[in-house]
């Protein structure tokens, strides 16, 4: 059987909300750093405040020091979370089909790639168009979980929303992809069996 390689990416089409959240999280991250520095500075000032008169065991020393230290640590944690999560709004997905295996990865702001699925040829159950009657029946079943693997609500030029019904290690899933028909054609051609939904050629 001839080897088949097909690769496709889907990126965020409307970046305006992502840019807005990126700026918001960056600002909050910077403010958290400022507050962390201020809190740790207060700890430093208290520890060197008249050491001859303030006992290290006195409440007047310990309580304010512990409070400011806790605030400083909290602000450091917030800064890390904000500055790290600001990239999570720029999401894209890579679909790669290599002779029987469909590999799906999630990419955050072109910085971090996370592998999500590898679907072997024996794992494909059904492929169809999003919104079809077959899709609705699968979606209605409580045993099927859906995973949306596109950042867009509207398909890009030349692309459509398709679903792949597959078996995974944690049960059956409906994977929603935004891709060109070429990817679906490559999968069906290599599998050499009819896994398309019955109404596939009746485009929605």
């Amino acid at each position: 059987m001839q080897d088949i390689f097909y690769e496709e990416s889907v990126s965020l089409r409307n970046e305006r909300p992502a840019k807005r959240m990126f700026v918001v999280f960056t600002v909050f991250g910077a403010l958290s750093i400022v507050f962390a520095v201020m809190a740790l500075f207060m700890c430093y000032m208290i520890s060197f405040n008249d050491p001859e008169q303030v006992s290290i065991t006195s409440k007047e020393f310990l309580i304010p020091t512990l409070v400011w230290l806790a605030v400083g640590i909290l602000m450091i944690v917030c800064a890390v979370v904000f500055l790290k999560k600001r990239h999570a709004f720029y999401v894209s997905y890579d679909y790669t089909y290599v002779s029987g295996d469909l590999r799906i990865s999630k990419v955050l702001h072109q910085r971090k790639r996370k592998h999500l699925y590898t679907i072997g040829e024996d794992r494909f159950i059904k492929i169809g168009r999003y919104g079809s009657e077959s899709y609705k029946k699968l979606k209605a079943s409580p045993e099927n979980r859906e995973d949306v693997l596109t950042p867009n609500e509207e398909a890009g030029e030349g692309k459509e929303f398709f679903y792949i019904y597959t078996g995974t290690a944690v049960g059956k899933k409906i994977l929603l992809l935004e891709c060109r028909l070429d990817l679906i054609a490559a999968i069906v051609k290599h599998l050499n069996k009819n896994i398309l939904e019955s109404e596939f050629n009746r485009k929605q």
Side-chain angles (χ1 to χ4, degrees), residues 2-19:
Q2 183 181 3
D3 289 339
I4 294 178
F5 176 83
Y6 185 90
E7 187 173 28
E8 187 169 344
S9 297
V10 54
S11 302
L12 188 64
R13 297 182 63 203
N14 182 12
E15 293 188 353
R16 189 174 301 173
K19 288 180 179 178

Side-chain angles (χ1 to χ4, degrees), residues 130-150:
Y130 170 75
S132 66
E133 290 302 317
S134 294
Y135 166 80
K136 293 176 182 177
K137 290 179 181 178
L138 291 173
K139 184 71 180 296
S141 174
E143 69 176 7
N144 297 326
R145 298 177 59 188
E146 184 178 59
D147 196 355
V148 179
L149 303 172
T150 171

Side-chain angles (χ1 to χ4, degrees), residues 49-56 58 60-61:
N49 181 26
D50 223 354
E52 295 182 355
Q53 299 180 18
V54 180
S55 171
I56 197 169
S58 66
E60 292 80 3
F61 173 78

Side-chain angles (χ1 to χ4, degrees), residues 28-181:
F28 276 102
L31 289 175
S32 297
I33 293 175
V34 172
F35 289 136
V37 172
M38 293 175 59
L40 296 177
F41 179 74
M42 289 299 298
C43 287
Y44 175 83
M45 293 299 293
I46 292 174
S47 64
F48 284 90
N49 181 26
D50 223 354
E52 295 182 355
Q53 299 180 18
V54 180
S55 171
I56 197 169
T57 59
S58 66
K59 293 183 179 180
E60 292 80 3
F61 173 78
L62 286 177
I63 294 178
T65 301
L66 292 176
V67 169
W68 284 112
L69 182 61
V71 172
I73 294 174
L74 177 61
M75 289 297 100
I76 291 173
V77 172
C78 289
V80 172
V81 172
F82 281 126
L83 296 179
K84 184 176 181 180
K85 291 296 184 181
R86 62 180 177 163
H87 299 288
F89 301 100
Y90 287 90
V91 181
S92 60
Y93 292 88
D94 289 340
Y95 315 133
T96 305
Y97 188 72
V98 183
S99 297
D101 291 342
L102 176 62
R103 302 167 188 170
I104 303 174
S105 299
K106 182 178 182 179
V107 183
L108 300 179
H109 211 169
Q110 300 180 348
R111 294 164 54 93
K112 183 179 180 181
R113 176 184 298 271
K114 180 181 180 181
H115 178 73
L116 299 178
Y117 297 99
T118 296
I119 307 170
E121 54 186 318
D122 59 330
R123 294 282 188 173
F124 289 94
I125 301 174
K126 183 180 290 188
I127 296 178
R129 299 181 188 276
Y130 170 75
S132 66
E133 290 302 317
S134 294
Y135 166 80
K136 293 176 182 177
K137 290 179 181 178
L138 291 173
K139 184 71 180 296
S141 174
E143 69 176 7
N144 297 326
R145 298 177 59 188
E146 184 178 59
D147 196 355
V148 179
L149 303 172
T150 171
N152 301 313
E153 295 184 359
E154 294 184 4
E157 184 177 356
K159 298 182 178 182
E160 301 177 52
F161 291 126
F162 298 98
Y163 73 85
I164 294 178
Y165 185 45
T166 179
T168 69
V170 294
K172 294 180 180 178
K173 281 195 172 185
I174 305 169
L175 306 181
L176 184 60
L177 280 61
E178 176 192 350
C179 62
R180 293 180 172 81
L181 185 59

Side-chain angles (χ1 to χ4, degrees), residues 185-200:
I187 296 173
V188 173
K189 179 179 179 180
H190 186 268
L191 293 180
N192 196 26
K193 63 180 180 180
N194 186 17
I195 59 171
L196 296 178
E197 62 183 12
S198 58
E199 68 271 39
F200 185 82

